[in-house]
């Protein structure tokens, strides 16, 4: 199997799962669609009895679905499979079931593609690619189950929940919808016991492949996140990545000092054990681009993005000041139909956010996408802090981090402490 063939199959699955889930649902459900809004279809599930006849939800803005009666969901491919056969391929061990292939062929026609079996692959290559797809689905199932576990941990810990609410003011409805959680692992035993237990049945290898667990020298598993707020990245109805925010309860270990930690991604040197599908290529809330919003806000941080989502704004975040070069090709194609992209980064004294925003705006402009850079206004305490930094220490808001550090060299410990307080 060549790398080119593997990439072609990955692109094949991308193209068939980009078929609009609303169009497919309207064709296959017909009169079973009982209620329709701009972002949601509520349907009478054909595979269980329901008094409301509204238990199966098609999320048009996220291009995903979930049946609250059957407890299953996923992307458009899994929806077709569910409607046709009553089952969903989610990464179970063994070969790819015929129900998956039938649903895949159905969507291939919609996407103007031949069946994958006639896509120029040998039978051995096709089997290997299907096995790779099964692993990908299984890894995302690990992350999705883990998100539910951490979400319950957050909801049941009033102290952490109060801290989170006071810091971010994100509504409980959004917290529940996004399965925002808290990595309370019970020394690793709770989450591992849950994921490897009867309900889920994941193996230790499944957990390792997700990137959400590390193997110690003694061969034991340790969760990657430890007492952090965990934000799952959703794509087509499943969790595909995670980022964790430090809390007052996060251990004071050297490897836990970063404010945010992202899952490790696959690479051939340090993280060969992590599945190739864990690659941090998704922007947070990138699925909102599927609905082609007229205006889009791009934030630096995940929590800023969620706050905007909470108030009804289409928003995405790379969770950093700059988007990776490797991701621009895909993103530009998705952003072409957006009328205006507003880039709203942090307004810190180092200007890292502003410089990143200008770089992003430049790339968008080069691709004929209208961009506007938003500079957040400062409140009175921050205005006073900057004024004091300038008057007392000669630090002003055109200086970068290194220049500020050089300016503080030679000052007394008390002055340095004051400067750090004001900068924070």
């Amino acid at each position: 199997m060549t790398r080119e063939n593997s990439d072609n199959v990955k692109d094949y699955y991308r193209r068939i799962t980009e078929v609009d889930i609303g169009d497919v649902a309207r064709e296959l459900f017909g009169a079973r669609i009982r209620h329709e809004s701009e972002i949601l279809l509520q349907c009478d599930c054909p595979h269980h009895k329901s008094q409301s006849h509204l238990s199966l939800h098609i999320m048009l803005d996220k291009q995903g679905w979930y049946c609250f009666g059957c407890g299953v969901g996923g992307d458009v491919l899994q929806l077709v499979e569910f409607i046709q056969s009553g089952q969903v391929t989610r990464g179970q061990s063994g070969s790819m079931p015929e129900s998956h292939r039938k649903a895949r062929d159905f969507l291939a026609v919609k996407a103007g593609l031949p069946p994958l079996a006639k896509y120029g692959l040998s039978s051995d290559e096709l089997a290997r690619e299907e096995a790779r797809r099964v692993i990908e689905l299984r890894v995302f199932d690990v992350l999705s189950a883990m998100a539910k576990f951490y979400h319950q941990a957050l909801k049941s810990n009033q102290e952490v929940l109060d801290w989170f609410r006071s810091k971010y003011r994100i509504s409980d409805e959004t917290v529940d919808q996004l399965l925002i959680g808290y990595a309370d692992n019970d020394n690793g035993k709770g989450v591992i016991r849950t994921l490897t237990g009867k309900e889920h049945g994941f193996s230790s290898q499944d957990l390792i492949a997700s990137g959400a667990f590390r193997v110690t020298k003694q061969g034991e598993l340790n969760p990657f996140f430890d007492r952090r707020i965990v934000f799952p990245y959703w794509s087509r109805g499943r969790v595909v990545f995670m980022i964790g925010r430090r809390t007052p309860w996060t251990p004071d270990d050297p490897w836990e000092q970063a404010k945010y930690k992202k899952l490790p991604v696959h690479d051939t040197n340090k993280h060969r054990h992590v599945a190739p599908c864990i690659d941090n290529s998704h922007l947070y809330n990138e699925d909102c681009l599927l609905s082609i919003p007229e205006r889009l806000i791009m934030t630096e941080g995940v929590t800023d993005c969620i706050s905007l989502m909470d108030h009804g704004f289409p928003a995405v975040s790379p969770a950093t000041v700059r988007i990776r070069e490797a991701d621009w090709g895909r993103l530009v194609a998705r952003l072409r139909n957006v009328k205006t992209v507003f880039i709203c980064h942090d307004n810190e004294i180092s200007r890292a956010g502003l410089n990143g925003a200008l770089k992003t705006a430049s790339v968008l402009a080069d691709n004929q996408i209208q961009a506007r850079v938003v500079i957040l206004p400062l409140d009175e305490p921050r205005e006073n802090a900057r004024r004091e930094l300038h008057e007392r220490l000669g630090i002003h808001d055109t200086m970068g981090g290194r220049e500020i550090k050089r300016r503080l060299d030679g000052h007394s410990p008390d002055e340095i402490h004051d400067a750090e307080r004001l900068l924070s």
Side-chain angles (χ1 to χ4, degrees), residues 273-332:
H273 59 282
V274 178
C277 58
I278 306 297
D279 59 8
N280 191 25
S281 62
H282 299 270
L283 300 185
Y284 192 86
N285 197 41
E286 188 176 327
D287 277 1
C288 81
L289 297 178
L290 297 169
S291 61
I292 314 178
E294 184 175 353
R295 295 175 179 84
L296 177 78
I297 303 174
M298 186 178 293
T299 70
E300 182 178 332
V302 166
T303 53
D304 295 331
C305 179
I306 294 172
S307 292
L308 288 164
M309 293 163 61
D310 201 24
H311 288 82
F313 292 97
V316 297
S317 170
T320 184
V321 295
R322 292 190 182 183
I323 294 172
R324 300 186 314 170
E325 292 294 333
D327 296 330
W328 268 119
R330 181 188 83 255
L331 293 175
V332 163

Side-chain angles (χ1 to χ4, degrees), residues 78-268:
Q78 290 165 318
L79 177 66
V80 173
E81 182 183 19
F82 181 68
I83 294 171
Q84 291 177 340
S85 68
Q87 68 182 57
V88 172
T89 300
R90 302 194 63 88
Q92 55 264 37
S93 57
S95 59
M96 190 71 81
E98 186 58 35
S99 59
H100 172 91
R101 297 189 181 107
K102 183 180 177 183
R104 187 179 65 199
D105 290 348
F106 175 89
L107 288 176
V109 173
K110 303 286 184 188
L113 296 170
L116 186 58
K118 298 180 180 179
Y119 205 57
L121 303 177
S122 68
S123 57
D124 287 343
E125 287 176 329
L126 180 59
R128 281 195 290 271
E129 285 305 307
E130 288 188 341
R132 191 193 305 269
R133 179 70 176 180
V134 167
I135 292 172
E136 179 178 307
L137 292 173
R138 195 160 181 81
V139 165
F140 291 154
D141 277 354
V142 169
L143 295 182
S144 299
M146 197 171 179
K148 293 178 183 177
F149 179 90
Y150 284 158
H151 178 64
Q152 289 304 315
L154 175 63
K155 300 287 281 188
S156 62
N157 191 322
Q158 194 61 49
E159 184 180 20
V160 177
L161 189 57
D162 288 344
W163 175 85
F164 175 79
R165 285 170 172 163
S166 67
K167 192 163 189 67
Y168 294 112
R169 302 286 196 269
I170 295 169
S171 70
D172 290 348
E173 181 182 4
T174 295
V175 170
D176 292 341
Q177 183 183 25
L178 299 177
L179 291 187
I180 297 170
Y182 176 60
D184 187 353
N185 301 297
D186 187 20
N187 294 320
K189 296 177 183 177
V191 65
I192 293 172
R193 184 170 56 244
T194 298
L195 295 180
T196 58
K198 267 188 177 181
E199 180 182 356
H200 299 294
F202 297 117
S203 68
S204 295
Q205 197 57 46
D206 294 330
L207 304 191
I208 294 169
S210 73
F213 295 86
R214 295 171 294 193
V215 184
T216 67
K217 292 181 180 179
Q218 293 74 32
E220 297 178 344
L221 294 184
N222 277 340
F224 180 75
F225 298 117
D226 190 4
R227 282 163 282 182
R228 288 175 175 263
I229 298 295
V230 178
F231 300 96
Y233 283 56
W234 290 89
S235 180
R236 314 293 175 104
R238 55 178 171 253
V239 179
V240 297
F241 198 67
M242 288 177 165
I243 186 171
R245 203 277 188 201
R246 183 178 171 84
T247 70
W249 300 273
T250 305
D252 195 27
D253 297 315
W255 56 87
E256 294 286 6
Q257 297 306 306
K259 183 177 178 180
Y260 283 96
K261 281 177 62 175
K262 291 182 177 182
L263 284 181
V265 300
H266 174 82
D267 68 56
T268 54

Side-chain angles (χ1 to χ4, degrees), residues 384-386 388-389 392-393 417-424:
N384 291 339
R386 293 198 182 185
E388 190 173 347
L389 281 166
R392 286 179 51 193
L393 300 166
H417 175 77
D418 280 348
E420 291 173 345
R421 175 181 59 82
L422 292 167
L423 286 166
S424 70

